[in-house]
Amino acid sequence: MRALPTAPAARRNAVDRPLAVKRYLFLASTYFGLVILANWLASRYVVSVGFGRVAPAGVFCIGGVLVVRDWLQQLRGLLWTMPLVYAAGLASWAIGDAAGWTSLEKIAVASVVAFTVSETVEAVVFTPLRRRNLTLGVALSATVGNALDSWLFLQLAFNSQTFFVGQFIGKGEMIALGTALTLWRRRLLAAVT
């Protein structure tokens, strides 16, 4: 038999639900926006990522996307997260098609396929690790997702791996930042509670 929550715990859960919904909506909007921005940037610009390497400009956004997906899964679960992957990629393709950016359309289609594969594998890596060590789960799953996404996206969008190292470095820089933010958030919340 399951114990009923105490009155203070029930009130705290009632207060936490709207906050969790707001966090989810904020992160989902951020995720969605970063995917669309990444595809547009990748179709237009090349940037330096350091170490003498360059990559399509969307790499910094996608590095953030890989981390935000993990945060969304941690907050609401896999069933609330994976539909965003497909919806964001399809929206990016539709926006590119409506605007007449033919190069973006090819990039958006490559992005949908790369996301489908890399984010699914990332979820498989993240799911067992997230309860044991959220920070490690974010770091490892995003790095695996980075490698798969970089290779598959470049192959489908450009039929070339010329930018692979630059893509991996650029996304890796954002993954490192996201991992540090995950660690900082967990330590901050532990200090507050």
Side-chain angles (χ1 to χ4, degrees), residues 97-122:
D97 189 49
W101 303 325
T102 55
S103 63
L104 178 59
E105 184 177 330
K106 183 178 179 182
I107 287 169
V109 169
S111 178
V112 170
V113 173
F115 280 176
T116 301
V117 173
S118 68
E119 300 262 331
T120 301
V121 171
E122 182 184 358

Side-chain angles (χ1 to χ4, degrees), residues 5 8-18:
R11 276 195 303 271
R12 187 170 49 248
N13 286 341
V15 170
D16 288 347
R17 271 189 215 115

Side-chain angles (χ1 to χ4, degrees), residues 47-56 59-60 165-171 173:
V47 295
S48 172
V49 295
F51 308 101
R53 301 292 183 159
V54 295
V59 298
F60 298 120
V165 173
Q167 286 249 133
F168 193 80
I169 290 170
K171 291 176 193 175
E173 291 165 351

